[in-house]
Amino acid sequence: MQKEFLAALDKEVELLELNSQPNELYEPIRYLMALGGKRMRPVFTLLAYSLFKSDWQKAVQPSLSIEVFHNFTLMHDDIMDKAPLRRGKQTVHEKWNDNVAILSGDVMLVKAYDYLNKVQDLSISEFQYLLKRFNKTAAEVCEGQQFDMNFESRDDVSLNEYIEMIRLKTSVLVGFSMEMGALLAGQSQEIASELYQIGELVGLGFQLKDDILDVYGDPSKFGKQPGGDILANKKTYLLISAIQAAEGDLADQLDYWLSENNQETDKKVEAVTAIYNVLNIKEKAENEAKAYFDNALAKINSLNIAPEGKKLLNEFLSSLMVREV
Amino acid sequence: MQKEFLAALDKEVELLELNSQPNELYEPIRYLMALGGKRMRPVFTLLAYSLFKSDWQKAVQPSLSIEVFHNFTLMHDDIMDKAPLRRGKQTVHEKWNDNVAILSGDVMLVKAYDYLNKVQDLSISEFQYLLKRFNKTAAEVCEGQQFDMNFESRDDVSLNEYIEMIRLKTSVLVGFSMEMGALLAGQSQEIASELYQIGELVGLGFQLKDDILDVYGDPSKFGKQPGGDILANKKTYLLISAIQAAEGDLADQLDYWLSENNQETDKKVEAVTAIYNVLNIKEKAENEAKAYFDNALAKINSLNIAPEGKKLLNEFLSSLMVREV
């Protein structure tokens, strides 16, 4: 099922309806969309849709609105974060320039609404509700990115604040992906909202996994600079937990490495990882991620849908839980 | 009528439904929207709506989608153009920083769709058509901005290319403002499209007027640095016309001033304006602007609407034609 979804989505991405001129506006969109990624969000939409209806092909184009929106946020976030690489390739603002990445991103957001507008068979009130939920989600993702940037200059970020930030920046869109699948299939707002909650929990677990993989992932598989978060002093779940747990000599060591940005990068990553290891931070984060996934699984089991549907969702979730990339 | 429209729009802008947190995301939106402006676009929407229906109050919120969208483009364009001032005040990226202006602009674009979603009484196909037209217009405005930036590094921009650029960057949104008024009032796509064409012509005339005012406007009224376009070697209708018309000694003088960016700014503005005067460039541009306005007036007169409606449109157009700000 997932493979069929992915094939249909990739085909649709190849067909991406874009003007050709001006080239500086549309080429970066094709470039970024072609870099791939897991297409996790639209797959979730198609999964949720197919819990209720079998003609999931009808939902492919509307589901792309979420993938295009997600890639738009990547294009703009990469400018703000001055990120040189995305999925192992040059970011758009690096390959072209900041202005191109700003404007190309803008038109990409418009394009996302174009794909959302490809829904069929909804009533006006159903469609306006879908659009309202899309807008709310989109605004929240921007709020999450702003909180993330604000955290850079703050030393007192709590775990609760961090979780709320990643909920906004990452999880609400995963939640909405599932909600949208239900709404496209003509389900009630209540049922759609139950799927939203499952997606939100999955998104939280997924992001915590991401924090862990950034430090402990196999670089040959994960495709990012290992320890990038450590080098950037990024206030992840791991770092915030370590700051809270470290005492005495260990706290001094952590302080030292946080203020130390000129040493060889390998040394810093190694030293901070060692502190994480002493404090069992990896286990703590894994337990937290597992708790979110377990919560999502429990909610799936209590859904009022056919057993095959539950099996489908469980399988996809399991593949996300054991992911190494 | 216009005053009533403006009062209703200003009230709605004051009520602008925005979250409060994070402050860096929402404060710049309030700031930019409060700087004012003529609100020409939503006024056009309300005007067009009231040609067909008297309850124009229903169209106020949807019409704000265009004003919010327009201000979003200003926020992002000002980053790209490195503009220090907007309506005599600091631009958002100057008052805060580039990242704030990028992200706050993004959420503003989402907010525009939120206001569009406040339409009432449309069928699903009418609403999807409206959204499709909004998206097309929004993408074209971005295309216009990209062409405008591309022109900066080109010496062979023709008048036709320039007109096409301002059509995209400015006129299509004015056209859509009127089209939207008709669509909100439940008119057919054909009638809406006739109003679009009128708005597009008005937008072209309006932008040419803007080019003229940048050189010849009364600085105490126009509120921009006089001769800003000349100092930036901006390829306006005036400069392109002058390059094409200048011969011999005059062409050499123009060349000299275009390559001269270090002299006192007053001198450059004075010298290039003097060349424009010798070549009657102001008259040429005014004739061109008048031709667009006349064309719009002719189209208004051939509209199948009540005489009072035509009178209303004519009056608003006339006020734009003689504008000094």
Side-chain angles (χ1 to χ4, degrees), chain B residues 114-290:
Chain B
D114 247 347
Y115 276 105
L116 190 69
N117 203 19
K118 290 181 190 288
V119 299
Q120 295 169 43
D121 307 329
L122 293 194
S123 70
I124 178 71
S125 63
E126 286 170 339
F127 185 54
Q128 287 198 294
Y129 181 73
L130 181 69
L131 180 53
K132 182 179 148 186
R133 293 287 308 128
F134 187 98
N135 291 341
K136 177 147 202 288
T137 305
E140 286 181 340
V141 171
C142 294
E143 290 173 13
Q145 167 69 3
Q146 185 64 52
F147 282 123
D148 197 10
M149 291 194 294
N150 290 352
F151 287 0
E152 279 174 28
S153 55
R154 276 183 51 195
D155 284 327
D156 58 347
V157 180
S158 71
L159 279 181
N160 280 345
E161 284 179 297
Y162 177 74
I163 294 289
E164 175 61 8
M165 182 276 285
I166 62 170
R167 189 185 72 80
L168 292 166
K169 185 169 172 172
T170 304
S171 309
V172 296
L173 190 60
V174 181
F176 178 70
S177 302
M178 295 200 69
E179 181 182 15
M180 184 176 175
L183 291 173
L184 291 176
Q187 297 298 302
S188 70
Q189 296 179 7
E190 291 67 33
I191 291 178
S193 170
E194 284 177 36
L195 285 162
Y196 174 87
Q197 289 167 38
I198 293 169
E200 197 178 48
L201 290 164
V202 172
L204 286 166
F206 184 86
Q207 183 57 48
L208 290 176
K209 268 287 201 187
D210 216 63
D211 286 4
I212 298 166
L213 285 170
D214 194 88
V215 179
Y216 294 99
D218 179 343
S220 70
K221 294 181 188 166
F222 194 50
K224 285 188 198 169
Q225 181 184 31
D229 289 347
I230 289 177
L231 292 173
N233 286 347
K234 201 161 162 58
K235 289 177 192 76
T236 65
Y237 188 88
L238 283 70
L239 180 56
I240 298 169
S241 301
I243 291 171
Q244 289 185 350
E247 289 179 345
D249 185 41
L250 215 53
D252 293 343
Q253 281 181 42
L254 190 52
D255 268 355
Y256 167 78
W257 285 108
L258 285 176
S259 62
E260 177 57 71
N261 297 315
N262 301 317
Q263 283 254 14
E264 295 162 54
T265 58
D266 284 359
K267 268 197 178 165
K268 177 164 176 167
V269 175
E270 215 172 279
V272 175
T273 307
I275 295 171
Y276 287 174
N277 291 342
V278 173
L279 294 166
N280 288 319
I281 296 296
K282 187 185 177 196
E283 288 67 29
K284 181 175 157 60
E286 277 177 342
N287 287 338
E288 185 83 3
K290 190 171 177 305

Side-chain angles (χ1 to χ4, degrees), chain A residues 19 26 76 106 117 128 143, chain B residues 19 26 76 106 117 143:
Chain A
N19 288 2
Y26 292 109
H76 276 191
D106 290 346
N117 202 19
Q128 287 197 293
E143 290 173 13
Chain B
N19 288 1
Y26 293 109
H76 276 191
D106 289 346
N117 203 19
E143 290 173 13

Side-chain angles (χ1 to χ4, degrees), chain A residues 161-216:
Chain A
E161 284 179 298
Y162 177 74
I163 293 289
E164 174 62 8
M165 183 276 284
I166 63 171
R167 190 186 71 80
L168 292 167
K169 185 169 172 173
T170 304
S171 309
V172 296
L173 190 60
V174 182
F176 178 70
S177 303
M178 296 200 68
E179 181 182 15
M180 184 175 173
L183 292 173
L184 291 176
Q187 296 299 302
S188 70
Q189 297 178 8
E190 290 68 33
I191 291 179
S193 168
E194 284 178 35
L195 285 162
Y196 173 87
Q197 289 168 37
I198 293 169
E200 198 179 48
L201 291 164
V202 172
L204 286 166
F206 183 86
Q207 183 57 47
L208 291 176
K209 268 287 200 187
D210 215 64
D211 286 4
I212 298 166
L213 285 170
D214 194 88
V215 179
Y216 295 99

